[in-house]
Amino acid sequence: MARPTSITDEQILEAARAVFLEKGIQATTAEVARRAGVAEGSIFNRFKTKQALFQCCMATNFDDIEWLKILRESTGKGDVEQALTRTGLAMMDFFRTLLPIMMMSWSNTAAGELPPHLSGDNPPPVRALREVAAYFEAAIAAGHLPKEHKPEIMARMFMGSIHFYCFTQFFLKNSASLSTEEFVHGIVKLIASGAKRSPKE
């Protein structure tokens, strides 16, 4: 008798994300099971309902986000522009993946409610903003950037501009005149050069 297929929760979630993004919330657990290469019962052994599976696969594992790993490794050391450029390029990939997931999450909630992974006092977007602000704060403390500018303002400029670039590409099908690389290099230089100027200039 053949041994049952061994599969991790993350492998099931990866298959579910792909199926839900292709077919929406109407996708079935049978389709997810086929994509994962397991029996449908294997899914219900881990996730009691399709709704529970959907909520888990739409949530982001905060500790595995590549651009945050790059930022953490660069905090307080090295070249600020180089670190922000690497972070920004990885952030572009992240937002491009995240935007359709966000759209599905919001479309599957009742009016006026937040998706489960965005509720609570410390949701992932707020945690991410704090980490980016902490990077700028450390850069200021290390003398790489002047003290005149608030870290949170620089963090919101950096994250917000990249998010909006991805937003217009995805939702509005806007073909940007600037390539991803050109935009990230430009916004990093703008933030870094602006931060280095005295507010009195």
Side-chain angles (χ1 to χ4, degrees), residues 112-131:
E113 290 185 1
L114 286 171
H117 61 281
L118 293 180
S119 60
D121 296 330
N122 195 29
V126 174
R127 293 166 63 191
L129 175 64
R130 286 175 182 160
E131 290 221 33

Side-chain angles (χ1 to χ4, degrees), residues 60-65 67-68 71-72 117 121-134 159:
T60 300
N61 187 339
F62 196 75
D63 292 328
D64 288 337
I65 297 174
W67 67 264
L68 278 172
L71 198 69
R72 290 165 186 154
H117 61 281
D121 296 330
N122 195 29
V126 174
R127 293 166 63 191
L129 175 64
R130 286 175 182 160
E131 290 221 33
V132 178
M159 295 180 71

Side-chain angles (χ1 to χ4, degrees), residues 9-136:
D9 287 359
E10 185 51 43
Q11 287 171 315
I12 292 175
L13 291 174
E14 185 178 344
R17 287 187 196 101
V19 172
F20 283 130
L21 287 172
E22 285 176 9
K23 301 190 175 184
I25 189 61
Q26 67 270 21
T28 67
T29 51
E31 290 171 315
V32 173
R34 281 196 296 273
R35 178 69 65 94
V38 297
E40 191 174 9
S42 297
I43 293 178
F44 288 114
N45 286 338
R46 320 283 184 94
F47 307 93
K48 298 305 180 185
T49 64
K50 187 178 85 167
Q51 181 68 17
L53 173 65
F54 178 80
Q55 290 178 358
C56 285
C57 76
M58 292 297 106
T60 300
N61 187 339
F62 196 75
D63 292 328
D64 288 337
I65 297 174
E66 183 63 25
W67 67 264
L68 278 172
K69 291 180 181 178
I70 295 171
L71 198 69
R72 290 165 186 154
E73 292 168 359
S74 306
T75 297
K77 58 186 178 183
D79 184 288
V80 170
E81 289 190 32
Q82 183 183 58
L84 288 178
T85 298
R86 289 180 59 226
T87 300
L89 290 172
M91 191 184 289
M92 279 280 193
D93 291 336
F94 172 76
F95 281 139
R96 285 179 176 134
T97 301
L98 184 68
L99 282 169
I101 292 174
M102 288 174 59
M103 185 170 62
M104 286 191 65
S105 296
W106 281 100
S107 67
N108 195 48
T109 57
E113 290 185 1
L114 286 171
H117 61 281
L118 293 180
S119 60
D121 296 330
N122 195 29
V126 174
R127 293 166 63 191
L129 175 64
R130 286 175 182 160
E131 290 221 33
V132 178
Y135 171 84
F136 282 108

Side-chain angles (χ1 to χ4, degrees), residues 188-199:
V188 167
K189 283 191 174 296
L190 183 63
I191 290 173
S193 63
K196 290 174 183 176
R197 288 173 61 87
S198 168

